[in-house]
Amino acid sequence: MAVDQKSEVRGQRSAQAISNTQYPISQVVALAGGVGGAKLAHGLAQQLAPDQLTIIVNTGDDFEHLGLLICPDIDTVLYNLAEVQHPQQGWGRADESFQVLEETKRLGHDAWFRLGDRDIALHLLRRQMLDAGMSLTEVIAALARRLGVTHLVLPMSDQSVRTIIHTPEGELPFQEYFVHRRTEPTMLGMHMAGLEQARPTAAVSTALAEADLIIFCPSNPYVSIDPILALPSVREAVARTPTIAVSPIIGGRALKGPAAKMMAEVGADVSAVGVARHYADLLDAFVLDQADRRLVDAISALGIRSFVTDTIMRDKTDRARLAAEVLSFAQSRKPVP
Ligand code: FO1
């Protein structure tokens, strides 16, 4: 989306924003990927008006499949904000059917990636808009509008950046590793294919420049947040802005996904402290789960102030409650003990 289109979105809703909100923060950016990221983004969207919140989403998980561009992290955010996500999986659609997938199987396709029929409808429209020459940012804005999502959801880049996982078997594209191989191969490292040619979009750069708070959602630090930070000038913009992260690791485990396994495989401390240390130079504040209360001192030792709460988002109310706590703590001037 062009920057002026974004201003237009914000302009339309600013009056509503001022009357709706209890938070003096005017511009919040959330960095998100995966189901944990989408859940907190949904909580933030319940607390902040559309002109106060921009969600910048990882596109490193994207890939081309059956002629379609799959954008799992963006779609997961869109479906969660529209409240049409699959209730158990967190990704994909509720009330989904798989007739197209079953038919492709009958026709000999190795259907390891489960695209549902409703989900395919969105993918067909995305393909059509991309083929008509629209940028990914413009396409996502159009799809968001059609889903009734009023908060701004931005792909981190309009250029293709693809996460490649290094394993003892060689390099595996992310979805091949994550879905087809069920994260079984050991992760030795990773890189982002296409990073040299990629840049953040103008809308992303503007959102980061205008932000007075940046929230790192409880997403996988390596494959969801690092790809966003790896784009030119993003890390520098984040370093200039107050930040807060929510730990995706609780009691040494990830609620969902391979974050804990990856941390162990690259030799990191598999704990909330390990996450805080990973982001350390960028972080002002950190939210960790009550199960990890004993780690507060270790996080203070990193010069990061921390807040302990129940970080498990079981339902819509939990998401809103955690988002409210994150926003309140980020604004408190409580020093590091
Ligand atoms: N995850 C799976 O574990 N198996 C699937 O077959 C699968 C299909 C799928 C289709 C569309 C979509 O948007 C997401 C999908 N995911 C699937 C989730 C996705 O692979 C991951 O959630 C993210 O890439 C990790 O953040």
Side-chain angles (χ1 to χ4, degrees):
M1 188 194 293
V3 178
D4 54 344
Q5 268 177 284
K6 184 183 162 195
S7 310
E8 193 187 314
V9 171
R10 290 203 154 138
Q12 283 163 4
R13 298 193 172 86
S14 56
Q16 179 197 351
I18 290 157
S19 59
N20 266 359
T21 185
Q22 54 179 309
Y23 304 106
I25 290 174
S26 61
Q27 294 297 323
V28 174
V29 163
L31 308 181
V35 173
K39 285 182 174 182
L40 186 62
H42 180 220
L44 291 165
Q46 292 176 64
Q47 297 293 347
L48 297 167
D51 73 340
Q52 290 183 293
L53 174 66
T54 301
I55 303 150
I56 299 177
V57 188
N58 171 46
T59 56
D61 294 12
D62 295 10
F63 75 127
E64 293 272 347
H65 186 67
L66 294 171
L68 303 172
L69 177 65
I70 319 286
C71 305
D73 285 355
I74 293 174
D75 293 353
T76 301
V77 169
L78 290 180
Y79 289 157
N80 275 270
L81 264 61
E83 301 184 359
V84 297
Q85 81 283 3
H86 188 285
Q88 281 82 42
Q89 288 168 176
W91 53 265
R93 292 288 306 258
D95 304 319
E96 188 57 288
S97 57
F98 291 89
Q99 300 219 26
V100 174
L101 188 92
E102 291 307 323
E103 194 57 26
T104 60
K105 265 195 213 168
R106 265 192 291 277
L107 292 168
H109 171 65
D110 176 13
W112 56 268
F113 194 76
R114 290 182 59 76
L115 272 184
D117 299 330
R118 288 180 194 275
D119 204 11
I120 288 172
L122 176 125
H123 284 81
L124 290 173
L125 294 178
R126 176 156 54 218
R127 177 80 280 156
Q128 187 186 41
M129 289 187 257
L130 288 169
D131 287 351
M134 289 168 70
S135 69
L136 184 60
T137 301
E138 290 166 339
V139 172
I140 299 310
L143 292 174
R145 242 187 334 269
R146 292 176 195 196
L147 284 163
V149 171
T150 50
H151 290 80
L152 198 52
V153 178
L154 298 176
M156 65 184 196
S157 178
D158 281 335
Q159 286 85 41
S160 155
V161 179
R162 300 288 178 260
T163 299
I164 308 290
I165 306 294
H166 305 177
T167 77
E169 302 164 29
E171 296 185 352
L172 296 177
F174 182 76
Q175 296 298 339
E176 183 73 29
Y177 159 82
F178 187 83
V179 175
H180 202 186
R181 301 298 313 282
R182 299 168 192 273
T183 71
E184 277 163 15
T186 303
M187 182 176 89
L188 304 173
M190 57 171 278
H191 76 275
M192 310 298 305
L195 190 63
E196 302 73 29
Q197 288 81 45
R199 53 190 186 283
T201 63
V204 163
S205 299
T206 304
L208 289 171
E210 290 177 354
D212 37 33
L213 176 66
I214 297 177
I215 300 173
F216 295 40
C217 289
S219 303
N220 186 310
Y222 304 106
V223 295
S224 295
I225 304 295
D226 282 358
I228 306 175
L229 298 174
L231 289 166
S233 77
V234 170
R235 182 171 273 275
E236 293 75 5
V238 173
R240 283 193 292 270
T241 311
T243 56
I244 186 165
V246 180
S247 178
I249 301 289
I250 301 176
R253 299 172 58 179
L255 283 184
K256 203 168 165 59
K261 180 175 182 283
M262 288 176 165
M263 289 178 88
E265 288 169 355
V266 300
D269 173 7
V270 188
S271 72
V273 181
V275 176
R277 198 175 286 130
H278 183 78
Y279 296 134
D281 57 327
L282 294 175
L283 276 196
D284 299 303
F286 192 70
V287 177
L288 67 165
D289 194 79
Q290 54 200 3
D292 291 325
R293 191 179 294 280
R294 68 192 164 76
L295 301 177
V296 163
D297 288 348
I299 289 162
S300 300
L302 298 170
I304 300 167
R305 60 202 189 91
S306 54
F307 179 75
V308 177
T309 187
D310 175 5
T311 62
I312 301 180
M313 293 175 276
R314 297 166 197 84
D315 55 24
K316 183 176 173 179
T317 312
D318 276 345
R319 297 174 181 196
R321 189 248 326 135
L322 180 60
E325 289 175 339
V326 169
L327 291 166
S328 296
F329 185 66
Q331 290 168 92
S332 73
R333 291 282 162 258
K334 197 168 161 268
V336 178

